[in-house]
Amino acid sequence: MSEAGVNEPAVNEAAGTVRVVFTPSGLEGRVPEGTTVLEAARGLGVDLDTVCGGRGICGRCQVRPGVGAFPKWGLDVGVDALAAPGSLETDYRGNRPLGDGQRLGCAAAICGNVVLDVPPESQIHRQVVRKDVALDALVLDPPIELRFVEVDRASLDDDRAADERLADALADQWGIDEVGVETSVVPTLHAALEPPAGDNRETVAVTVALRRDGTGGETDTGTPSVAAAWAGFVGTAYGVAIDVGSTTIAGHLLDLTTGAVVATAGRMNPQIRFGEDLMSRVSYVMMNPGGDAELTNAVRGALDELVTELLDDAEIERDRLLELVLVGNPVMHHLLLGIDPTPLGAAPFQLATRQAIAVPATDLDLGLPLAQAWIGPCIAGHVGADTTAAIVAEGPHRSDAVQLLVDVGTNAEIVLGNRHGLLAASSPTGPAFEGAQLSCGVRAAAGAIERVRIDDATLEPRFRVIGVEQWSDEDGFDDALAALGTGVIGVCGSGIIEVLSEMSRVGIVDRAGVIKGSLAERSPRIEAAGRTFAYRLTAAGGAGAGDEPGAHPGLRVEQNDVRAIQLAKAALKAGIDLLLERAGIEQVDEVRLAGAFGAHIDPEHAVAIDLLPPAASMSSPGNSAGSGAVRLLLSLAARAEIQALVPHIVKVETATEPRFQDLFVEAMGFPLAPVGSEGTTSGRRRRSRRRAAGTS
Ligand code: FES
């Protein structure tokens, strides 16, 4: 006999027992008549939630009893299989109303054979399904659990301190022994354990948030600690997952009990004023004593503002936010933690630590009195916690297929492999793919050109801009653009890839990347620009492809723009090719192009200009690092998984690898073949797929 008097599944029809089946788990057994559903679930190991411990307060234990014939289980269930609701159920007024046809599991007594469905919202380890953040197959396993307890009130006859009374209540009512109370919680205990005015009961109702580590790492003590204590019943606690990018910082506020995203916000990283790219920020630190503290203060200030915005948006008190997950590249990681980043600026590009770090949020100057910040593990000096988070999200290590995961920012992080092993590298692509340092470049925003086609015969362009449905040569384009109110502001990264792919396809640029001046005789779109030539996309003065001259210089692709993209694409492709060579892999099965750049890019054009290798599956998962941070916030299993994986990821250092230079030169060229045809890619080798041998 196990807990609550439940027999194991054997169908032995002892007198006074009834058979109970739980779905969707299929767990079943016999229980004495009168056993509550919650007791039966606990005894059979069924995943049925409870915060209040069966006091009819939280509403987490709801189940739906089935009625009728269940041939699969050989059961005929009557309407009276559960006893009629008693006062605990009829008086229930919790903030999770009883669902249609549902009963409170802690109150409903089992009187006959019964089949009980546990809906997803009543499961502790339910699968999280969200469309705005990619969380496929994530099972909720957060570091925070809530427990409602009745704590003995203070009296002259009881000399136990508040923390001791709380620990005793947890041991008695939940069987949780040796619980520690976090130092930050101690000052709040008197208030939490203070009986409400006029309440003369001998106990005080308190909700405790327990923090588990469970990752098996250094911080994992094996026993939970009290992370918060609040007076009365509290049904939710919150966490924030933040991707600390060098350009933007983006965060999600989540309900840790359901996995629901309750607010999302982002802002520019204020460190940009110290340098656009990471290395210029490291240089700033090298050349300015105290510069590291300035950069640390800047990013911490932005994080505090971001968290404040998230909490204000959702109208949530600061003491309800208990967990933060922060991911970022190694320079961001070091600056965030107040670690000097200068060793990351020169060979051997040494990290201060590769390990995940857990610190009180107050150590990072965040005004969150009870929160703990968990900063993900890094792989190497140029491959940081943002990449490990992207790996968590995209799961190349969980797959048989060979995956190429690329996250393009001012650096491109590249991960290659499958469940047999992973390699990682970072390539210095620079800011060109983000539209920076190009005469016509802008970040992806309303009014930016994102799609381009060039007519083979006339060399006339047509294009689409972000925020307008129609192409520039379609009816309604001018009106829609006028309604957008921005005009055509420039060409974003994906638009640049397309325009260069098209210029290459129709022969405006040659294989070496030179804009052919000879075509000026054929088309007025080819214009002299000093000693080189340019391709005109939009006429001066016109917002669209119109011809009226005016004050606006219009947009054109200049020779220097082609060069900048050529260098960026060569850096990315050389990094990819280096990993392919190292892994002995000749073809990848899937390419995942993460990040804002990847979100808009047309993979066919990226392959056409030899930016990416061809693959059977190509996708743009969006902000993988952000999705990974959310997973790491909601799942201790995900934290344990990535911490175990990181030491086995093989880092390839592009900055010191001589072969990288050869591959870089090889990847500089532009192919000259139609988009979508076989053999469009320069240097593309027909490779037979092999397993990711040598990567493990
Ligand atoms: Fe809380 Fe049933 S366990 S209401």
Side-chain angles (χ1 to χ4, degrees):
M1 189 83 82
S2 57
E3 187 183 344
V6 177
N7 287 323
E8 296 310 318
V11 185
N12 104 42
E13 299 192 18
T17 66
V18 291
R19 191 165 158 223
V20 55
V21 177
F22 285 94
T23 60
S25 63
L27 291 167
E28 66 164 299
R30 297 193 72 85
V31 298
E33 279 177 42
T35 304
T36 68
V37 172
L38 182 61
E39 288 167 342
R42 282 176 171 170
L44 290 167
V46 174
D47 189 15
L48 182 59
D49 201 1
T50 168
V51 170
C52 72
R55 293 176 174 84
I57 297 171
C58 68
R60 300 289 175 89
C61 58
Q62 296 184 37
V63 293
R64 182 177 289 111
V67 175
F70 292 87
K72 178 173 181 188
W73 312 107
L75 283 177
D76 226 334
V77 180
V79 288
D80 52 358
L82 294 184
S87 61
L88 198 59
E89 276 183 282
T90 53
D91 294 348
Y92 171 71
R93 298 288 179 270
N95 57 3
R96 285 195 181 191
L98 263 179
D100 225 13
Q102 294 188 175
R103 301 285 304 271
L104 283 186
C106 62
I110 303 170
C111 316
N113 294 339
V114 69
V115 176
L116 297 161
D117 186 52
V118 181
E121 58 276 14
S122 296
Q123 296 168 16
I124 306 165
H125 302 291
R126 61 184 151 278
Q127 185 139 345
V128 181
V129 182
R130 301 239 14 129
K131 288 219 160 48
D132 43 357
V133 181
L135 293 178
D136 317 341
L138 177 71
V139 174
L140 200 58
D141 175 26
I144 298 290
E145 286 177 353
L146 301 180
R147 293 286 180 262
F148 179 80
V149 282
E150 300 278 356
V151 182
D152 293 340
R153 67 189 292 162
S155 77
L156 287 172
D157 306 331
D158 185 347
D159 65 354
R160 288 175 301 165
D163 61 341
E164 292 161 349
R165 283 184 285 130
L166 185 63
D168 287 348
L170 281 167
D172 291 347
Q173 293 162 42
W174 288 96
I176 300 167
D177 296 318
E178 295 174 27
V179 69
V181 178
E182 293 178 8
T183 315
S184 55
V185 182
V186 174
T188 71
L189 285 182
H190 282 312
L193 272 59
E194 178 72 22
D199 185 339
N200 295 321
R201 286 180 308 151
E202 291 186 349
T203 58
V204 183
V206 177
T207 302
V208 173
L210 293 174
R211 194 189 313 279
R212 300 179 297 137
D213 181 332
T215 57
E218 254 181 69
T219 54
D220 184 3
T221 60
T223 52
S225 56
V226 173
W230 302 292
F233 176 75
V234 173
T236 50
Y238 297 90
V240 167
I242 304 180
D243 174 21
V244 190
S246 36
T247 307
T248 52
I249 301 177
H252 296 292
L253 173 67
L254 288 105
D255 179 336
L256 293 175
T257 65
T258 62
V261 178
V262 293
T264 295
R267 59 192 51 232
M268 297 302 281
N269 187 332
Q271 290 181 342
I272 285 179
R273 68 175 182 270
F274 301 99
E276 272 267 340
D277 62 83
L278 290 171
M279 281 311 131
S280 51
R281 290 181 214 173
V282 174
S283 304
Y284 181 86
V285 173
M286 286 174 176
M287 294 163 67
N288 295 279
D292 50 348
E294 277 183 89
L295 284 151
T296 294
N297 291 339
V299 71
R300 288 182 179 179
L303 289 173
D304 200 43
E305 287 170 17
L306 180 76
V307 170
T308 301
E309 183 183 338
L310 289 166
L311 290 171
D312 288 350
D313 277 2
E315 298 181 356
I316 289 165
E317 298 294 324
R318 284 180 174 263
D319 75 342
R320 299 281 291 283
L321 178 51
L322 300 183
E323 195 75 14
L324 284 164
V325 165
L326 302 162
V327 300
N329 60 57
V331 174
M332 282 303 114
H333 170 277
H334 277 40
L335 287 170
L336 175 65
L337 285 164
I339 302 169
D340 177 10
T342 52
L344 301 171
F349 311 107
Q350 198 85 82
L351 286 166
T353 179
R354 201 191 301 271
Q355 306 290 328
I357 289 180
V359 292
T362 48
D363 283 10
L364 304 179
D365 302 330
L366 303 177
L368 299 167
L370 302 179
Q372 175 178 264
W374 190 86
I375 297 100
C378 295
I379 296 171
H382 285 144
V383 189
D386 50 350
T387 305
T388 52
I391 292 171
V392 168
E394 303 308 321
H397 58 298
R398 297 189 287 265
S399 150
D400 277 328
V402 175
Q403 185 187 111
L404 174 67
L405 170 60
V406 181
D407 194 344
V408 176
T410 47
N411 275 340
E413 281 83 40
I414 308 163
V415 177
L416 174 73
N418 60 9
R419 66 185 180 83
H420 298 292
L422 297 181
L423 295 103
S426 172
S427 259
T429 46
F433 286 144
E434 294 188 325
Q437 295 177 359
L438 300 179
S439 66
C440 58
V442 289
R443 293 194 192 286
I449 292 179
E450 60 167 349
R451 294 266 174 275
V452 180
R453 297 290 180 274
I454 299 176
D455 186 272
D456 301 58
T458 64
L459 306 186
E460 284 298 299
R462 59 194 191 95
F463 54 84
R464 265 177 64 176
V465 303
I466 296 175
V468 174
E469 204 46 46
Q470 297 90 343
W471 284 79
S472 59
D473 60 344
E474 287 177 349
D475 288 346
F477 173 80
D478 290 339
D479 290 344
L481 186 64
L484 192 65
T486 59
V488 178
I489 60 170
V491 187
C492 70
S494 62
I496 280 286
I497 298 303
E498 291 211 3
V499 73
L500 288 186
S501 164
E502 287 287 289
M503 287 168 72
S504 165
R505 182 182 66 81
V506 302
I508 295 173
V509 292
D510 66 15
R511 188 175 164 70
V514 176
I515 297 176
K516 291 189 211 161
S518 58
L519 291 176
E521 292 170 9
R522 216 177 107 194
S523 164
R525 296 275 169 185
I526 312 297
E527 299 177 349
R531 287 189 291 175
T532 58
F533 288 84
Y535 175 70
R536 178 160 292 283
L537 264 175
T538 66
D547 293 315
E548 310 90 297
H552 191 281
L555 298 173
R556 61 185 193 174
V557 180
E558 299 180 358
Q559 186 60 61
N560 280 344
D561 300 333
V562 180
R563 282 281 173 261
I565 290 294
Q566 228 176 337
L567 292 171
K569 89 164 182 97
L572 175 56
K573 189 64 182 356
I576 293 170
D577 285 343
L578 186 62
L579 291 194
L580 286 167
E581 280 191 3
R582 278 293 180 85
I585 295 172
E586 299 193 338
Q587 186 158 345
V588 298
D589 298 311
E590 52 177 307
V591 173
R592 298 200 187 187
L593 193 53
F597 173 72
H600 296 282
I601 203 165
D602 178 344
E604 204 175 1
H605 285 90
V607 172
I609 68 160
D610 201 20
L611 183 68
L612 296 172
S617 160
M618 303 192 86
S619 59
S620 302
N623 183 2
S624 295
S627 299
V630 168
R631 284 175 174 269
L632 292 164
L633 178 67
L634 296 178
S635 168
L636 286 177
R639 294 188 193 180
E641 178 184 303
I642 195 64
Q643 285 178 277
L645 180 69
V646 161
H648 302 288
I649 298 174
V650 177
K651 171 68 204 316
V652 179
E653 183 50 72
T654 55
T656 53
E657 169 62 62
R659 181 72 185 128
F660 179 78
Q661 290 309 322
D662 302 338
L663 292 168
F664 182 87
V665 172
E666 262 184 49
M668 283 284 283
F670 280 102
L672 290 170
V675 173
S677 71
E678 283 293 303
T680 50
T681 312
S682 75
R684 184 194 300 178
R685 296 165 287 276
R686 289 288 99 200
R687 297 156 166 158
S688 63
R689 180 189 159 208
R690 274 192 265 144
R691 208 182 71 163
T695 61
S696 53

